[in-house]
Amino acid sequence: IGYLKQTDGLNPNNTLYSEMETVFSEVFKAVKELELVEKKLTIDPDDADLIEKYHNLQNIIYSKDGYNTDFQIKKMLNGMGFTEEEHSEMVGVLSGGERTRLNLAKLLLENPDVLILDEPTNHLDFDTLTWLEEYLSNYKGAIITVSHDRFFLDKLVKRIWEVEDTFMYEYKGNY
């Protein structure tokens, strides 16, 4: 489950790009470990434990599309409105709105099964909002969102739950 929090938890000492790389820390660890296993397998190619470990590490890497991390990061940063030059800027110099966009980009890159978004359209310009709507309309997981943006809701939702006092009402269709 991925949740877009109001507080971002970003590291101000990272660049935008290196902050996005933190999503793939498990993949990078698996790649390094895989290199060691491959060296060991050149010495003992029939070691069943090493072969199993090799396959397990490969599965970790492939499950996160780990050989395309650079492409994935750049695609997400660019989609969220960050220019190529901004990828090397420090997170600490970003405005609140830029930090929110970066946090949303990082969350989307994590690709959780369930995505919970609280006012995701805040701080987005028209081009970034259009990109986000397109991205989310093709999202494979479930999305739960709170938004006052009627147009955003019309584009994405198939069901509305309205909470009033102690009652919840369900409506099928968009806003």
Side-chain angles (χ1 to χ4, degrees):
I1 295 176
Y3 172 59
L4 181 62
K5 301 174 183 120
Q6 296 298 322
T7 55
D8 59 43
L10 302 171
N11 184 340
N13 299 317
N14 281 346
T15 65
L16 274 67
Y17 190 90
S18 62
E19 184 66 28
M20 296 292 281
E21 282 183 314
T22 64
V23 170
F24 296 106
S25 60
E26 180 185 8
V27 170
F28 297 143
K29 180 181 173 190
V31 168
K32 285 182 183 178
E33 198 171 341
L34 185 69
E35 290 171 0
L36 295 174
V37 170
E38 286 173 341
K39 286 179 185 175
K40 290 178 182 177
L41 281 171
T42 60
I43 296 167
D44 187 3
D46 298 323
D47 185 321
D49 290 337
L50 282 176
I51 292 170
E52 182 180 352
K53 189 170 191 170
Y54 177 87
H55 290 296
N56 290 339
L57 292 168
Q58 282 283 16
N59 287 336
I60 291 169
I61 296 165
Y62 285 128
S63 71
K64 300 282 188 178
D65 196 17
Y67 292 114
N68 292 311
T69 57
D70 183 60
F71 171 76
Q72 291 182 70
I73 290 169
K74 288 179 179 176
K75 175 184 169 190
M76 193 62 64
L77 284 172
N78 292 339
M80 289 304 293
F82 294 105
T83 65
E84 193 80 29
E85 295 78 32
E86 291 173 311
H87 295 188
S88 59
E89 284 187 12
M90 302 303 286
V91 171
V93 303
L94 298 178
S95 69
E98 290 168 328
R99 289 176 70 94
T100 300
R101 283 191 294 128
L102 180 62
N103 200 36
L104 179 55
K106 188 175 172 183
L107 177 62
L108 295 175
L109 194 58
E110 290 171 2
N111 198 29
D113 294 327
V114 178
L115 194 54
I116 302 173
L117 304 173
D118 184 5
E119 297 291 351
T121 61
N122 288 355
H123 308 290
L124 301 183
D125 62 24
F126 181 76
D127 290 337
T128 306
L129 176 58
T130 302
W131 181 89
L132 179 63
E133 288 172 349
E134 178 68 26
Y135 184 86
L136 292 177
S137 68
N138 294 310
Y139 195 75
K140 300 290 185 224
I143 301 170
I144 301 170
T145 187
V146 174
S147 180
H148 293 92
D149 185 335
R150 295 180 306 178
F151 301 107
F152 177 76
L153 292 173
D154 274 343
K155 293 259 185 181
L156 292 179
V157 302
K158 297 176 183 156
R159 186 171 293 157
I160 301 277
W161 288 298
E162 178 184 11
V163 179
E164 186 177 327
D165 295 323
T166 59
F167 297 98
M168 183 167 70
Y169 306 96
E170 178 182 357
Y171 305 96
K172 291 184 179 177
N174 63 18
Y175 185 79

